[in-house]
Amino acid sequence: MPVVLARGAGVWVWDVDGNKYLDFLSAYSAVSAGHGNPRIKSVLAEQLERLDVPSRAFYTDRLGTFVEKLCTFSGMDKALPMNTGTEAVETAIKAARRWGYDVKGIPDGKARIVVSEHNFHGRSTTICGFSSEPAYKRGFGPFDGGFDTIPFGDAAALENAITPQTCAFLTEPMQGEAGIILPPQGWLKAVQTICRKHNVLLILDEIQTGLGRTGKNFAFEHEIDHPDGLTLGKALGGGVYPVSAFLARADVMDVFDPGSHGSTFGGNPLAAAIGLEALAILEDEDLAGRSQDLGAYLKDRLMALNTRLFRDIRGAGLWIGVDIDPDIISARSFCGHLKDKGILCKETHEITVRFAPPLTITRAEIDWAMPQIETVCRAVSR
Ligand SMILES: *Cc1c(COP(=O)(O)O)cnc(C)c1O
């Protein structure tokens, strides 16, 4: 989008000319708590006064509290903090493979991981190697191998793909970058049963869906108690700093022995203080509940526009994908028109537009946005 942003507060951002926009993308869910959240700013400043980034060779008074909170909040046994989402997924891959060798007894170098088609898990060479998106991988090979791809939302395909050398099934519970794709109901429950039957780890990437985005703290809560491994990121950084984590069952995390994995910045006191506060805000302000209620409200309002421009409206919580009829206008041009009306959105995969504002958005702010969206729909479908 041709817009140069210079300032932000809450759900609003301003460009260099002072034009105001409603941020309907919120940095792909990283800014769930809103821009410049006062609580995040205050813990950041406070922690900066106390201690910044010591060596990871030493303990700090912040990390234990953060890790403990992550575990109680998610129901997972152990947590390992990293920085970007990509690193959390890389950590999950390492853990799954080593668990495959050390615990499951897969012959060394033979472990395989099943993944979903149209996945998005980051952009490292290993991760983009098992992407099905040519743009993400062209010219970056050769790729490692060790991954088997099945259609998203197809439990039978998972069971067919599993062999004695499969250590894990890694998937988003609902696909974000693919265009907000929800699996059929009952899929995740069935997937968990299949994984348990074959002693395969179920690892969910909730970097985008987690922390309230889909109307629950975690998308997995719509169907299961908890997975065997979980990656978090984006909103965990309170919109200001990269904070991610890999969480797992104890026997999975325990495959890491000293020296086997690490990160210079991972879990530093600033990151820990921010992550802790991001979780506290999520709970105190019931962001998951807001996401559920206001997401349903926004979806209803979008449906009530009853425009032939929208071919499909789907989503969970404040995470809504709208397919635009490409015979009328491209999703990208549609987003351009929204920008001119003060709404920042972005298309994904030619026909889908995402509506994913900060979870702190109010009903009044949605009510402000709707007439703008309606005006654009009217103008372009005329
Ligand atoms: C954004 C995202 C990632 C990658 O996170 P980065 O912080 O950009 O490395 C991984 N998985 C999912 C599902 C994501 O949405």
Side-chain angles (χ1 to χ4, degrees), residues 34-374:
H35 292 280
N37 186 292
R39 287 179 61 175
I40 296 286
K41 282 203 294 202
S42 131
V43 295
L44 175 57
E46 210 172 281
Q47 186 57 46
L48 204 51
E49 284 302 315
R50 282 161 40 95
L51 178 63
D52 41 27
V53 181
S55 307
R56 190 136 147 170
F58 314 124
Y59 295 96
T60 67
D61 64 351
R62 277 282 172 266
L63 184 54
T65 326
F66 176 45
V67 163
E68 213 174 300
K69 179 70 191 175
L70 270 174
C71 292
T72 50
F73 187 71
S74 63
M76 306 298 287
D77 296 332
K78 299 204 175 190
L80 199 166
M82 298 295 288
N83 310 285
T84 64
T86 303
E87 289 171 291
V89 175
E90 285 282 348
T91 305
I93 292 169
K94 280 184 173 181
R97 286 178 175 167
R98 194 177 264 194
W99 176 88
Y101 303 129
D102 292 2
V103 180
K104 186 168 175 174
I106 297 171
D108 194 35
K110 298 282 186 213
R112 301 197 67 83
I113 296 175
V114 179
V115 296
S116 295
E117 202 175 2
H118 305 303
N119 64 71
F120 185 82
H121 296 292
R123 292 176 179 274
S124 66
T125 48
T126 294
I127 292 171
C128 72
F130 63 82
S131 166
S132 29
E133 183 59 51
Y136 297 165
K137 52 204 296 191
R138 190 191 66 78
F140 300 144
F143 298 114
D144 286 334
F147 296 93
D148 300 303
T149 305
I150 59 169
F152 178 67
D154 185 340
L158 172 63
E159 187 139 39
N160 285 334
I162 289 174
T163 72
Q165 292 169 353
T166 305
C167 61
F169 175 43
L170 166 66
T171 188
E172 298 151 90
M174 299 174 186
Q175 292 188 318
E177 296 311 294
I180 313 216
I181 311 295
L182 307 193
Q185 219 175 358
W187 168 76
L188 192 57
K189 183 85 209 134
V191 157
Q192 183 179 56
T193 306
I194 292 166
C195 285
R196 286 187 176 162
K197 178 172 148 199
H198 296 279
N199 194 23
V200 164
L201 301 175
L202 171 58
I203 300 179
L204 295 180
D205 181 347
E206 294 234 29
I207 289 166
Q208 191 162 151
T209 54
L211 308 183
R213 182 50 63 182
T214 71
K216 300 235 182 234
N217 285 335
F218 302 98
F220 68 71
E221 289 176 82
H222 292 280
E223 291 198 3
I224 64 170
D225 48 358
H226 50 78
D228 306 306
L230 175 69
T231 55
L232 298 178
K234 294 201 165 107
L236 194 56
V240 302
Y241 193 86
V243 183
S244 71
F246 170 59
L247 297 99
R249 260 167 39 189
D251 68 314
V252 178
M253 192 68 83
D254 288 346
V255 301
F256 289 121
D257 45 1
S260 58
H261 192 55
S263 164
T264 304
F265 280 84
N268 75 69
L270 282 173
I274 290 165
L276 201 54
E277 194 65 7
L279 294 175
I281 292 170
L282 181 66
E283 283 184 311
D284 295 347
E285 298 183 17
D286 186 25
L287 293 188
R290 293 182 66 88
S291 175
Q292 174 84 52
D293 296 346
L294 291 170
Y297 178 66
L298 174 59
K299 199 154 109 187
D300 285 350
R301 296 279 317 250
L302 288 167
M303 286 191 171
L305 290 180
N306 208 5
T307 165
R308 62 189 184 97
L309 190 62
F310 294 170
R311 290 203 312 191
D312 188 34
I313 301 173
R314 58 182 176 270
L318 280 167
W319 203 52
I320 297 169
V322 175
D323 286 349
I324 306 292
D325 188 339
D327 291 338
I328 302 178
I329 193 173
S330 72
R332 188 174 178 81
S333 314
F334 182 73
C335 290
H337 289 293
L338 286 178
K339 177 185 83 77
D340 295 338
K341 287 280 166 197
I343 292 178
L344 289 185
C345 283
K346 195 182 170 302
E347 83 287 355
T348 171
H349 295 287
E350 269 96 67
I351 64 161
T352 307
V353 173
R354 262 187 288 201
F355 291 92
L359 304 183
T360 51
I361 196 170
T362 61
R363 189 175 281 251
E365 285 159 342
I366 293 175
D367 289 342
W368 175 86
M370 286 314 302
Q372 321 304 321
I373 298 171
E374 183 164 19

